[in-house]
Amino acid sequence: MSVVTSSLSGDQEKKLLSLFGHARLSLLYKASVQGYTAAAFHARCNSQGPTVVAAYNKAGFLFGAYTSKDYTQNGQPINDDKAFLYSISDERKNPLRVSSTNGQYGFTDENTGPNFGALVFLFNDTATVQYNAGNSYNFDAAHMHGDDLQLTECEVYRVEDLGGCLTKPWRNMQWTSERKRQLKEKIKNYKPDVKSVSQARVLLVGPVGAGKSSFFNSVNSIFRGNMTSQAICGSAGTSLTTQFRTFTIKSGKSGEPIPLILCDTMGLEEASGAGLDMEDIVSIYKGHVQDRYQFNPMTPLSDDVPGYRKHVSLKDQIHCVLYVVDACRVSLMSAKIVEKFAAIRKKTNQIGIPQLVLMTKVDEACPLVSEELQNVYMSHYIQRKIQELSASLGIPVSGILPVKNYSQELELNQNTDILLLSALDQILNYADSFFENQPEQEEL
């Protein structure tokens, strides 16, 4: 599965966003990857709410069309007083914006590429735009697209209104150095209620690229006091983690391990037979999978292969499951990934393991949070994403923890640390629930 990335330059994205106010763009369709066809466009862009077409040509123009309405292929003209055409070029400081001639027409919802009357994108399933002068929109062709209708790329983005700041935070959080110290001490001094268990074991489960390995590295960095990269992380189309890893976290370079083990797994993938297997998850839950076991997506772990732990006790089991989801991808999770989450949730409930959701990359998802991490619980957009994630995964809002992992920083940041430590504190609270509900067992 290839990684699909935006072709917008930083300046182009800034100018495009200036047309919408406080909004965020999420890439839905990229013609060079998914095909210059109407069918490929509609498969990814129908019923997605407000969207904007971004067409690129060799003349250096970025031009396209925005509508606040859904594409549904109903064959009818769609009224949309918010629709417009636009053009961005290096020569212009501000984008060109053109509304329809009657102020009401938006586009024609046909089985073609996006049809905005004067401009029809992906014309005849090709990398071209049909220009129909004066059809519902009036503009100078040279100013709109430089008289170049041959495309080098065509993309469609969902346009999400970020909603600004709330009047007060919807969760209380103390952002002080004293609070950071308290959280670190509380976590270091944590003791499971069961005498035979000295460390809570937490399993990280989530799609490829969600930030599971980055979460461990970030937590490890906090307790080490400097940036670390023990777990392999990065960006790729398939899982970078191919082994089952159990990571201990030391307090300081030569300090004692804290009473928490984070277990990393392969990422979930859409394709059947790819990524983490359900049978392997159950084996991990029950403590049968040893550290550094090499996953084989085609063959689940069995009791006759190396890496299988036959005799397990309570300390080998998973005590809390942490689903990891990228905040930027909440609205873009495929039905197949949601189905995999649902299947895992059902099995986890049957076994009786507490579950939480870690929503990562909140700074990338919301500019308000990027500017100031303390806005995370003031952001209307982040609150909305958490509510959406709750509905999608069936996890209560109280069980969803927004965080920012370290990714490009060289120094620790107090606000980032507090948000991560607060998440760890809640994770250990949920692990306690597991211990309270499980009788101590020596051999299983």
Side-chain angles (χ1 to χ4, degrees), residues 60-117:
F61 284 78
L62 169 66
F63 65 104
Y66 167 79
T67 177
S68 66
K69 305 294 185 180
D70 280 330
Y71 293 105
T72 62
Q73 298 174 267
N74 65 13
Q76 302 297 315
I78 304 298
N79 285 335
D80 182 5
D81 59 3
K82 296 181 177 63
F84 60 83
L85 305 182
Y86 73 91
S87 177
I88 293 170
S89 67
D90 292 337
E91 288 71 30
R92 280 195 301 264
K93 181 179 180 180
N94 298 313
L96 170 67
R97 186 182 187 280
V98 179
S99 298
S100 64
T101 51
N102 66 6
Q104 293 297 318
Y105 175 79
F107 66 100
T108 301
D109 194 14
E110 297 179 323
N111 294 327
T112 65
N115 181 353
F116 285 77

Side-chain angles (χ1 to χ4, degrees), residues 53 88 118 239 249 265 288 292-293 342-343 356 365-366 436:
V53 178
I88 293 170
S239 182
I249 302 161
T265 63
H288 293 299
R292 298 186 183 275
Y293 167 71
L356 288 163
C366 178
E436 290 169 3

